[in-house]
Amino acid sequence: CVLGAASGVLHQELSAAGRVLLIDPLSCRSSKVLDTVLTFIYSSQISCDYREDGCLLWQLLCLCARYQLPEPLWRYARSALLLAVKNAVFTAVATIPLLLEAKREVGLSESEACFIAHVYLRSAEASEALRDTSPKCNEAVFLALEELELQAMSLLAN
C-alpha cells in the first residue's frame, strides 16, 4: 500500500483488521489539504494552491505531524506556514497560542517559534490585544513574550 509505505502511522491504521481509515479531525478538516498530501504521496510533487491560507497550512503541518508524513512535505508545510506568518496572513490572536503551544508536536524549531513570536508581537493584532482585556488576547501576547524570553535565556546560557 502506497499510503502505508509513506507513513508508519498510516500503515498501522490501515493494517488494523476491518478498519476504515479515518483522518483525525483535530489534525485536518480540509479536502484541499488531504488532496495535497495524497498528491505528494503518490507523485512526490507538492501541489498547494493555498500558500496564503495560514489556517490550511496549519492543518497541513498538523497532518504531517500526526501521521508522520515524509520529511519533504513536513518541511514544505513549516516553510509555507512561516512565510504566511511573515506576510501577516496568519497572525490572528486565536492561532498564535496554538502555534506556540504545539511547536514541539509539529516540529517547529526554537528559532522558528521565536520568529513567530517576534512577528506576532510586531503586528497590529498584538497592539490591539494589549488594549483588550479578554483572556484569549492576553494569552497570545503572554505566550509570544514567553517564547522570546526562552530564546533569550537559551542564548545567554550558551
Side-chain angles (χ1 to χ4, degrees):
C1 170
V2 176
L3 291 175
S7 160
V9 175
L10 287 174
H11 177 73
Q12 284 180 319
E13 292 195 14
L14 288 168
S15 297
R19 234 180 125 194
V20 174
L21 178 63
L22 298 174
I23 299 299
D24 179 2
L26 294 175
S27 299
C28 178
R29 294 176 184 230
S30 168
S31 61
K32 283 180 128 178
V33 173
L34 287 174
D35 186 53
T36 297
V37 169
L38 293 173
T39 299
F40 181 80
I41 288 173
Y42 283 97
S43 72
S44 297
Q45 301 292 316
I46 295 176
S47 174
C48 177
D49 65 353
Y50 49 88
R51 289 180 192 97
E52 299 282 320
D53 189 329
C55 291
L56 291 180
L57 292 168
W58 170 245
Q59 288 183 52
L60 178 60
L61 186 59
C62 288
L63 202 60
C64 287
R66 167 68 176 84
Y67 293 101
Q68 297 294 298
L69 295 173
E71 183 60 30
L73 185 60
W74 205 332
R75 260 193 322 267
Y76 172 81
R78 278 194 315 267
S79 298
L81 183 61
L82 289 170
L83 188 59
V85 167
K86 178 184 174 216
N87 293 334
V89 177
F90 194 55
T91 57
V93 171
T95 57
I96 294 300
L98 292 174
L99 278 170
L100 296 176
E101 286 175 6
K103 67 183 178 187
R104 285 182 185 81
E105 291 84 359
V106 297
L108 291 175
S109 69
E110 294 298 323
S111 60
E112 289 169 334
C114 185
F115 172 77
I116 290 167
H118 173 77
V119 169
Y120 172 69
L121 288 172
R122 294 190 64 198
S123 71
E125 287 87 353
S127 296
E128 290 172 23
L130 290 171
R131 289 185 213 102
D132 195 327
T133 58
S134 73
K136 200 64 154 167
C137 291
N138 292 334
E139 178 187 11
V141 172
F142 175 75
L143 283 170
L145 289 171
E146 181 179 49
E147 190 59 47
L148 291 178
E149 182 181 28
L150 286 171
Q151 186 72 9
M153 297 303 284
S154 174
L155 290 172
L156 290 174
N158 293 330

